[in-house]
Amino acid sequence: MTAQLNPFRNAFRLPTKQRINWFPGHMNKGMRQIQQKLRNVDCIVEIHDSRIPLAGRNSQFFDTITGSGVKPHILVLNKVDLLGPKQQRSVLQQLRRQQPELKNILFTNCKDQRNHGVLDILPLATQLVGDSSRYNRAQSAEHNIMIIGVPNVGKSSIINVLRNVHLKKRSAARVGAEAGVTRAVGERIKIQEKPAVYMIDTPGILQPSVTDDEMGMKLALVGCLPDHIVGEDLIADYLLYWLNKHRRYEYVEKLSLSSGPSDNISAVLAEYAQTHGMFHRVKQYDGQVEVMTNLLAAARKFIQFFRTGQLGSINLDEHA
Ligand SMILES: Nc1nc2c(ncn2[C@@H]2O[C@H](COP(=O)(O)OP(=O)(O)OP(=O)(O)O)[C@@H](O)[C@H]2O)c(=O)[nH]1
């Protein structure tokens, strides 16, 4: 695709009537439960999606909930298989520039047989707890590590990998492709025998108010909340906006678009649906049945291409 002056929108706004409930009741409850358990926690491991290293990670918010300003804290950027090694390096540089206070950053992949990076979490946590003067429980018989983060980033998956590897035990935390699988702070899950280390799984929590439209859309795009809350049509529109803005035109070939890049989501989805046989039958008022292109199915496919890395390695927080 030839480089060209970007003829597309340069800002994304939610439709004015769109009301999105970013913060359902169980998150409020989860937040209180997290705070109640904090006293016995030695280290906070914040898990986030590596494709949005900044969006949704309001560090002040998590600091307030978990006191991670005083407790040892590790930021784990998971799903690095969807980010790719080149982007990984630029994400690290970006974080070092923008959040120099973050000292302990790991990239992980739970889908990799070798559990890329996941096995570094425990040694680093143990070292940080040992070095911590305020919470010096290094000599104590057991450590408690609390896992926090926004929904669907792989918190439960990481606990399961660690438990399987260190204890050769079956999964203990529920994992699911939809956001919001873990609804409450669970019991401690043992992941190592000597010294005993426990992990506490917590429900995914977003900030109580997501005021930045783009931040909300990025969270939606990587699946941090169920698709129906924002709507697949809107998520697909944001994806198209982002790709054009960053001149990432891989979608043109992937969606077999004959006329090149476009900023019109309806036209893009209609063409994809037509060329890929996506139709549905709609009954009209007069009883006639009309065959129409299935734009929703096309939107779902477009989003799925992004989520499975088929539109290339993407850091949604990179500057245009
Ligand atoms: N590609 C990829 N997918 C992953 C990885 N880790 C977890 N997943 C998938 O991400 C989805 C969410 O994983 P969970 O472990 O349930 O995430 P969670 O943060 O506990 O989710 P909530 O309970 O909703 O807060 C599941 O479909 C996992 O299979 C990873 O490293 N790479």
Side-chain angles (χ1 to χ4, degrees):
M1 191 61 48
T2 52
Q4 51 182 275
L5 276 183
N6 201 336
F8 305 111
R9 288 168 286 179
N10 51 22
F12 185 89
R13 297 264 172 276
L14 285 177
T16 40
K17 284 199 199 118
Q18 192 92 14
R19 286 265 172 274
I20 296 169
N21 181 12
W22 302 103
F23 197 72
H26 78 268
M27 289 193 189
N28 210 354
K29 196 168 143 212
M31 222 160 78
R32 285 198 307 272
Q33 290 176 341
I34 286 173
Q35 286 170 320
Q36 281 161 11
K37 295 245 171 178
L38 269 179
R39 210 159 49 90
N40 294 324
V41 168
D42 302 297
C43 179
I44 304 280
V45 175
E46 178 192 350
I47 318 277
H48 204 63
D49 190 311
S50 56
R51 294 165 297 174
I52 45 168
L54 300 167
R57 267 198 54 247
N58 181 334
S59 50
Q60 276 175 349
F61 167 63
F62 278 118
D63 275 4
T64 315
I65 303 180
T66 62
S68 61
V70 287
K71 289 189 193 268
H73 171 265
I74 301 172
L75 171 64
V76 171
L77 293 171
N78 190 35
K79 305 196 183 184
V80 74
D81 49 313
L82 301 174
L83 182 71
K86 198 167 146 233
Q87 294 278 9
Q88 183 178 325
R89 280 192 293 279
S90 68
V91 162
L92 201 54
Q93 285 164 358
Q94 187 179 17
L95 281 174
R96 295 234 158 97
R97 255 194 332 271
Q98 298 193 20
Q99 302 194 336
E101 71 281 5
L102 284 173
K103 297 284 180 261
N104 309 298
I105 304 171
L106 295 174
F107 288 89
T108 56
N109 172 8
C110 294
K111 294 282 181 186
D112 173 18
Q113 293 235 312
R114 286 169 297 147
N115 304 310
H116 176 103
V118 184
L119 304 187
D120 296 333
I121 297 175
L122 214 47
L124 181 56
T126 310
Q127 182 205 320
L128 293 176
V129 174
D131 291 349
S132 156
S133 51
R134 191 179 164 102
Y135 287 93
N136 194 351
R137 290 162 55 102
Q139 305 308 318
S140 88
E142 56 184 52
H143 295 157
N144 295 315
I145 299 172
M146 183 178 261
I147 303 287
I148 59 161
V150 301
N152 215 31
V153 287
K155 298 182 293 300
S156 305
S157 301
I158 284 181
I159 292 179
N160 287 338
V161 168
L162 289 171
R163 188 170 150 90
N164 293 343
V165 170
H166 291 290
L167 291 183
K168 308 273 176 286
K169 292 222 165 124
R170 278 190 307 118
S171 303
R174 262 188 74 213
V175 168
E178 273 262 290
V181 169
T182 309
R183 306 292 282 197
V185 174
E187 291 307 311
R188 299 188 309 167
I189 297 171
K190 195 178 223 179
I191 54 156
Q192 183 181 278
E193 211 56 82
K194 284 182 188 151
V197 176
Y198 294 86
M199 281 195 162
I200 302 165
D201 199 5
T202 65
I205 291 181
L206 294 167
Q207 295 167 56
S209 60
V210 174
T211 46
D212 176 344
D213 288 356
E214 275 221 46
M215 182 175 96
M217 292 313 297
K218 286 176 188 177
L219 289 164
L221 189 49
V222 299
C224 290
L225 57 170
D227 288 344
H228 68 264
I229 292 192
V230 174
E232 286 92 336
D233 50 345
L234 202 53
I235 300 175
D237 189 26
Y238 178 72
L239 174 57
L240 185 65
Y241 157 79
W242 193 98
L243 294 171
N244 285 329
K245 187 172 175 202
H246 292 80
R247 298 167 199 274
R248 294 291 302 263
Y249 301 125
E250 291 99 321
Y251 73 89
V252 174
E253 195 180 336
K254 190 75 200 163
L255 301 182
S256 334
L257 302 178
S258 57
S259 48
S262 162
D263 203 14
N264 182 334
I265 189 65
S266 305
V268 165
L269 295 179
E271 184 173 349
Y272 182 76
Q274 270 160 16
T275 51
H276 291 77
M278 295 174 156
F279 298 101
H280 59 169
R281 298 154 76 83
V282 181
K283 203 166 184 186
Q284 304 296 321
Y285 288 118
D286 59 5
Q288 299 280 326
V289 173
E290 198 179 331
V291 177
M292 300 178 83
T293 47
N294 191 341
L295 298 186
L296 181 60
R300 286 184 176 147
K301 202 76 194 164
F302 185 33
I303 297 166
Q304 192 202 343
F305 285 148
F306 164 77
R307 289 187 181 157
T308 50
Q310 294 184 62
L311 301 178
S313 307
I314 290 176
N315 160 18
L316 287 174
D317 284 332
E318 104 187 0
H319 289 299

